[in-house]
């Protein structure tokens, strides 16, 4: 009976040691779980913050893309306007060339080349044709000016006689 009692006490002592080890292990594991839970909470908050940031950046990118497209459309409209204005100017020059004498037309065609070759400064030494430097106050006077001035409208304005001589050689 004493042997059985000693065995039972040894088993009881072993069981208590095992229980104590299990409790220590449980406490340790509980702390690890709590630590990991806190880490998961932090990461979840970080993830939510990053998700919000990504959504904001995507929204901003979309807005910027829309602005870019609007600017592109404006640019296209301006290019169309410039193209139309160039075509209109070309037609106007063509119509003007039809009404001026051939020699005057040929001379004016070469005038820009001569100005570049002589290195004349536009706006200081060379001002262009008389009609380019005039602006009518009222369009109703246009015909009267054309009839009165006739081919004089195609005369070239320069600053000095020396500049005129450089153009004439």
């Amino acid at each position: 009976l004493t042997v059985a009692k000693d065995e039972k006490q040894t088993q009881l002592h072993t069981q208590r040691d095992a229980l104590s080890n299990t409790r220590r292990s449980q406490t340790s594991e509980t702390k690890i779980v709590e630590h990991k839970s806190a880490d998961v909470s932090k990461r979840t908050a970080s993830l939510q913050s990053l998700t919000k940031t990504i959504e904001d950046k995507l929204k901003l990118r979309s807005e910027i893309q829309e602005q870019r497209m609007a600017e592109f459309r404006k640019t296209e409209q301006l290019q169309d306007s410039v193209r139309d204005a160039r075509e209109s100017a070309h037609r106007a020059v063509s119509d003007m060339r039809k009404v001026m004498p051939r020699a005057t037309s040929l001379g004016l065609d070469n005038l820009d080349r001569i100005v570049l070759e002589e290195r004349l400064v536009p706006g200081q030494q060379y001002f262009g044709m008389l009609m380019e430097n005039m602006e009518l106050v009222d369009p109703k006077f246009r015909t009267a000016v054309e009839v009165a001035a006739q081919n004089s409208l195609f005369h070239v304005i320069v600053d000095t006689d020396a500049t005129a001589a450089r153009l004439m050689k």
Side-chain angles (χ1 to χ4, degrees):
L1 195 53
T2 312
V3 173
K5 178 183 167 193
D6 286 341
E7 275 183 24
K8 291 293 179 180
Q9 280 184 347
T10 304
Q11 281 181 350
L12 179 63
H13 184 64
T14 304
Q15 292 294 330
R16 283 184 181 163
D17 285 343
L19 180 60
S20 176
N21 287 338
T22 304
R23 284 184 180 156
R24 274 188 294 230
S25 173
Q26 180 186 9
T27 304
S28 172
E29 295 295 325
T30 302
K31 287 180 183 177
I32 291 173
V33 167
E34 288 173 358
H35 178 68
K36 297 236 180 216
S37 293
D39 189 41
V40 167
S41 296
K42 287 179 186 176
R43 289 180 186 228
T44 301
S46 176
L47 180 62
Q48 288 173 346
S49 172
L50 288 173
T51 302
K52 173 101 172 91
T53 302
I54 289 171
E55 288 172 357
D56 291 344
K57 296 294 182 184
L58 288 173
K59 189 177 192 181
L60 179 64
R61 185 178 99 187
S62 176
E63 290 172 1
I64 290 172
Q65 258 182 332
E66 288 175 20
Q67 288 175 348
R68 192 179 110 233
M69 291 304 291
E71 292 298 322
F72 181 75
R73 283 190 287 279
K74 286 180 186 176
T75 301
E76 287 293 319
Q77 289 173 348
L78 289 174
Q79 287 175 345
D80 289 344
S81 297
V82 167
R83 189 177 321 108
D84 291 344
R86 283 185 181 151
E87 288 174 5
S88 177
H90 181 68
R91 280 192 303 273
V93 168
S94 177
D95 291 345
M96 178 185 68
R97 300 279 188 209
K98 290 177 186 175
V99 298
M100 72 172 69
R102 180 174 166 82
T104 304
S105 176
L106 291 173
L108 291 175
D109 286 342
N110 290 315
L111 186 62
D112 290 331
R113 180 184 53 79
I114 294 169
V115 167
L116 287 174
E117 285 176 3
E118 292 293 323
R119 294 191 175 117
L120 297 177
V121 180
Q124 290 181 355
Q125 295 173 308
Y126 167 74
F127 298 95
M129 291 187 291
L130 178 63
M131 69 180 202
E132 291 173 346
N133 288 282
M134 291 177 44
E135 186 174 329
L136 295 176
V137 176
D138 193 348
K140 69 182 179 183
F141 299 121
R142 180 176 173 209
T143 304
V145 170
E146 286 175 0
V147 170
Q150 295 181 358
N151 287 336
S152 297
L153 290 173
F154 304 119
H155 290 182
V156 177
I157 301 173
V158 293
D159 63 341
T160 63
D161 289 338
T163 305
R166 286 172 60 189
L167 286 175
M168 295 301 291
K169 41 173 192 170

